[in-house]
Amino acid sequence: MIGKVFGIIFQPVPTWHEVAGMSEAELKRYLKYPAILALIPAVAWFYGTTRVGWSVGGRETVHFSAGSAAAIAPLFYLAQLVAIWVIGYFVHWMAQTYGAESSISKGVVLAGFCATPLLLFGAFGVYPLFWLDFLVGLVAVSHAVYLLYLGIPIVMRIPQERGFLFASAVVAVGMVMAVVVMVATVILWDMGFTPTFTD
């Protein structure tokens, strides 16, 4: 599995061809891939927000309380997995429209592999410095979108033109998922999962 992490980041084309050639049983083995990688940002941000903290405008450093972060971190982890699974389901659901053969496993594995840069770069959460995390996040999102546009035609075995349209539809689903996660965050804060800050 570690080999696939390096492969999708540094040699995406051969890795996508490997994914395209996987049987359903092999694909199912990779369903745990995002579940393992999603631990990286959850643990990193837990540490960064409770131990390192952040400062806004040169003011005093602020931290989450350990209890507050312990309640939020599992929800953050779960939100990442749900987003990947939902996007993966939509990849499968839209496949027939674009003339591709798919399965839910293939869709989730594709979404999980595309999310690899986001999950890996989540490690920068150990140091919650806004400008740094913003720039790293921008690079991660750009690389994830690049992987999606590169991978869809290969994995789904469709022409580039249809692959471009398919990938664009998946990006739209991803944007909707981002909004859903933000709304869910507000609802959960209203239900008592509001972060507690310490100085």
Side-chain angles (χ1 to χ4, degrees), residues 4 11 13 27 43 46 63 78 80 95 102 104-105 124 131 137 139 155:
K4 288 286 185 284
Q11 294 182 312
V13 174
L27 287 168
V43 171
F46 176 85
H63 301 83
L78 191 61
Q80 295 173 93
S102 184
I104 293 176
S105 299
F124 280 84
W131 68 267
V139 170
V155 174

Side-chain angles (χ1 to χ4, degrees), residues 2-48:
I2 300 290
K4 288 286 185 284
V5 172
F6 287 105
I8 201 66
I9 296 294
F10 299 111
Q11 294 182 312
V13 174
T15 305
W16 282 133
H17 282 292
E18 285 178 37
V19 173
M22 287 181 184
S23 66
E24 186 65 18
E26 289 174 307
L27 287 168
K28 284 183 178 173
R29 284 203 303 269
Y30 281 94
L31 291 177
K32 61 186 172 200
Y33 176 88
I36 294 167
L37 286 186
L39 287 168
I40 296 170
V43 171
W45 281 99
F46 176 85
Y47 178 84

Side-chain angles (χ1 to χ4, degrees), residues 34-168:
I36 294 167
L37 286 186
L39 287 168
I40 296 170
V43 171
W45 281 99
F46 176 85
Y47 178 84
T49 56
T50 57
R51 300 290 179 209
V52 178
W54 66 96
S55 174
V56 178
R59 297 185 193 149
E60 229 177 295
T61 303
V62 179
H63 301 83
F64 281 177
S65 68
S68 175
I72 293 170
L75 293 173
F76 176 43
Y77 174 75
L78 191 61
Q80 295 173 93
L81 293 184
V82 169
I84 290 168
W85 275 80
V86 169
I87 291 169
Y89 174 79
F90 274 98
V91 167
H92 163 65
W93 182 71
M94 291 186 288
Q96 193 172 1
T97 304
Y98 295 96
E101 288 185 22
S102 184
S103 66
I104 293 176
S105 299
K106 185 183 271 190
V108 171
V109 168
L110 190 139
F113 275 43
C114 286
T116 300
L118 295 166
L119 301 175
L120 288 179
F121 289 159
F124 280 84
V126 297
Y127 192 70
L129 183 61
F130 176 76
W131 68 267
L132 174 65
D133 293 331
F134 177 78
L135 290 175
V136 167
L138 197 59
V139 170
V141 168
S142 301
H143 196 66
V145 171
Y146 166 74
L147 289 174
L148 179 68
Y149 277 93
L150 187 66
I152 287 270
I154 296 171
V155 174
M156 295 299 175
R157 301 181 189 277
I158 56 176
Q160 288 283 347
E161 300 77 26
R162 267 189 280 159
F164 180 83
L165 295 173
F166 193 168
S168 299

